[in-house]
Amino acid sequence: MKKEFLDLGRQPIANAFLNKEDFDDEFFFDLKACWDTDTSLVSIKNFVEPEEIFNENYPYNTSNSFPMINHFKQAAKMLTKKFQPKNVLEIGSNSGPFIENFNKGNSICVEPCGNFAKITEDMGYKTYSEFWTTELAKEIIDRDGYMDLIYSANCICHIHDLDDTFKAVRELLSPSGIFVFEDPSLLRILERGSYDQIYDEHPHIFSVTALDNLLRRNGLKIFNVDSLSVHGGSNRIYASHIDNGLVGDSVRQNINEEMVFGLDNFQTYEIFADRVKKSKDTLVRSLSNLRRNGKKIMSIGATAKSTTVFNYCGIGTDLIDVITDTTKDKQGMYSPGVHIPVVPRDSINLNDYDYAYLGAWNFKEVIADKEREFVQNGGKFITHVPEVMVFS
Ligand code: DWN
């Protein structure tokens, strides 16, 4: 049974940055989150059609979040050393920072966004510009054979039909092959109060407990879990065919940690929802007070997360003048729903502002390091994770 615990209001598509002339034609939906008492899976209530989100205009380019390039390089190095796969397939390869570490002849990309599929194709990697399904897995078996390593980062939690997703992996995985995927951790989101990781692109938020249930019912099993610091805390899940002998203590340890926190108890989700409401009130009050006192506020990182915060809290240009972002496709556009202008970082002088809200709070250290001069001149950062606070 699905029990609703969180209402984040009317939301646009989190990454649908837009031009002024499209303001009247924006798509909105009601963003609510539920907990499934049977599988323990957290999902959003109303799914948005994937074609509305992942298409030619999808702007999120992993390579623009430059610390992630090294993250994927290290992941590729570690997986090659540990498992020595003969061939590799990546689901949701984006601009290719993971696959580029593998041999072109034995590596395949699956990427539904045509703009990114073209990038990896041009790099010389065979790319299927399609959504991940059992039909596609069968087609790949016929054309390319079974895969030793199937990898996916920040993509499996984007897919609505998880049973089909895991069945497709089971079909394509060689008998001793491994399936490695990483996504934000539900436990870390609840601990950190980072409700902004719940939006249209994340129809599911994974716990190890829920994944253990879902993978098993589709003939796969988890044999290892790594805790990662990226995106505010993610889990890297290692899975294999269910009858493969691989086992590891980390699975039980993670599930135990989740039980101790109360992920199997609906009250935990109700407490989180109360915290989210308080976070909204505090953030709006703090920004409004600063504004009333004549302070100038901007935001760094036109993230999917900040779309969620700004729309949930009703924060627009009345409170935040401008957002800077390193992504060319977001620059010159307006943020979804609340229409704050997005500009390149070097088009503004940060010293003209008193406060910088961290839309990309997950890169707090990197940004604070880059913007030392802003702090030296009296500038301060604002974040809402784990609590609303000002720091310098
Ligand atoms: O799963 C998803 C992840 C991985 O990324 C997607 N559903 C969508 C996306 O979420 P996000 O937009 O919240 O991701 P990031 O990685 O937090 O986005 C950071 C944004 O900030 C990028 O647009 C790049 C920009 N940026 C910047 O302007 N200055 C990033 C850094 C590090 C910087 O210094």
Side-chain angles (χ1 to χ4, degrees):
M1 188 181 48
K2 287 191 175 151
K3 292 176 90 172
E4 191 179 310
F5 62 92
L6 183 65
D7 185 348
L8 293 174
R10 190 171 164 266
Q11 291 277 351
I13 291 181
N15 258 316
F17 292 84
L18 68 172
N19 290 307
K20 231 180 203 158
E21 49 275 25
D22 298 322
F23 283 180
D24 294 336
D25 199 21
E26 231 178 327
F27 174 89
F28 287 90
F29 72 108
D30 289 324
L31 179 57
K32 295 177 177 176
C34 310
W35 176 63
D36 185 342
T37 52
D38 303 322
T39 58
S40 208
L41 180 67
V42 165
S43 306
I44 64 171
K45 189 171 178 187
N46 304 310
F47 290 164
V48 175
E49 284 304 317
E51 292 80 4
E52 287 271 355
I53 307 171
F54 303 109
N55 51 44
E56 278 287 328
N57 300 320
Y58 185 67
Y60 180 77
N61 184 328
T62 311
S63 307
N64 283 327
S65 295
F66 58 89
M68 296 309 289
I69 297 175
N70 191 40
H71 170 81
F72 290 119
K73 191 176 178 178
Q74 295 309 322
K77 209 167 145 187
M78 178 274 292
L79 292 169
T80 304
K81 195 168 167 210
K82 252 190 183 158
F83 301 103
Q84 294 164 0
K86 284 199 286 299
N87 52 16
V88 183
L89 175 131
E90 184 178 8
I91 308 169
S93 41
N94 197 268
S95 53
F98 176 77
I99 210 74
E100 71 184 2
N101 300 289
F102 292 90
N103 187 308
K104 292 187 175 84
N106 309 324
S107 314
I108 293 173
C109 301
V110 174
E111 174 51 67
C113 302
N115 48 343
F116 288 110
K118 186 170 179 322
I119 293 178
T120 48
E121 193 73 58
D122 289 349
M123 284 160 68
Y125 292 92
K126 181 170 186 180
T127 305
Y128 289 86
S129 188
E130 288 179 49
F131 287 99
W132 178 247
T133 59
T134 40
E135 286 77 46
L136 178 61
K138 283 178 188 148
E139 191 185 326
I140 296 173
I141 294 169
D142 288 344
R143 292 189 183 184
D144 309 290
Y146 295 95
M147 294 290 140
D148 286 344
L149 171 63
I150 300 178
Y151 177 84
S152 189
N154 301 303
C155 177
I156 300 298
C157 78
H158 291 181
I159 308 178
H160 298 171
D161 188 344
L162 294 174
D163 285 323
D164 185 71
T165 295
F166 294 145
K167 273 192 194 96
V169 168
R170 191 193 61 207
E171 292 273 345
L172 185 58
L173 205 58
S174 66
S176 58
I178 59 154
F179 172 38
V180 179
F181 62 106
E182 53 188 78
D183 290 289
S185 148
L186 174 67
L187 176 60
R188 302 296 166 229
I189 289 175
L190 297 198
E191 277 176 349
R192 284 167 202 254
S194 53
Y195 65 88
D196 51 350
Q197 289 177 284
I198 303 172
Y199 50 88
D200 57 306
E201 277 181 38
H202 292 174
H204 310 290
I205 306 288
F206 293 147
S207 61
V208 179
T209 308
L211 286 172
D212 192 48
N213 291 327
L214 292 162
L215 285 159
R216 276 182 189 281
R217 80 179 184 200
N218 289 293
L220 297 166
K221 69 146 198 258
I222 308 177
F223 65 89
N224 189 40
V225 180
D226 286 343
S227 300
L228 310 175
S229 60
V230 293
H231 294 296
S234 300
N235 286 323
R236 179 178 288 149
I237 304 286
Y238 298 70
S240 66
H241 285 285
I242 207 159
D243 51 5
N244 184 316
L246 293 163
V247 276
D249 293 343
S250 56
V251 185
R252 188 59 30 221
Q253 282 160 5
N254 273 274
I255 292 175
N256 282 348
E257 196 190 344
E258 292 180 353
M259 291 305 114
V260 169
F261 189 84
L263 291 195
D264 57 341
N265 184 346
F266 188 62
Q267 220 196 345
T268 304
Y269 300 93
E270 292 179 308
I271 293 169
F272 174 71
D274 275 351
R275 179 174 173 188
V276 172
K277 274 189 219 131
K278 286 188 188 124
S279 171
K280 169 182 176 170
D281 293 347
T282 315
L283 183 62
V284 173
R285 202 176 334 108
S286 307
L287 295 178
S288 306
N289 283 342
L290 292 173
R291 208 51 159 186
R292 220 170 293 121
N293 290 322
K295 302 296 182 198
K296 285 193 79 183
I297 313 167
M298 56 78 67
S299 180
I300 300 178
T303 57
K305 297 183 287 289
S306 59
T307 296
T308 310
V309 174
F310 294 160
N311 282 277
Y312 172 56
C313 299
I315 295 168
T317 46
D318 52 331
L319 295 174
I320 290 187
D321 293 329
V322 74
I323 308 174
T324 59
D325 199 282
T326 47
T327 311
K328 287 228 160 16
D329 288 347
K330 295 180 186 175
Q331 296 166 356
M333 310 286 271
Y334 292 82
S335 73
V338 295
H339 305 158
I340 303 173
V342 182
V343 300
R345 167 65 188 85
D346 55 12
S347 73
I348 63 159
N349 181 354
L350 211 52
N351 297 325
D352 291 342
Y353 295 85
D354 302 291
Y355 291 86
Y357 171 79
L358 288 179
W361 53 261
N362 43 317
F363 294 114
K364 181 172 143 186
E365 287 79 15
V366 176
I367 294 170
D369 191 48
K370 272 203 290 195
E371 306 297 359
R372 275 187 304 233
E373 195 195 316
F374 168 63
V375 175
Q376 279 156 9
N377 286 324
K380 292 188 172 65
F381 295 111
I382 304 176
T383 183
H384 70 282
V385 178
E387 306 294 340
V388 175
M389 59 183 168
V390 172
F391 67 97
S392 52

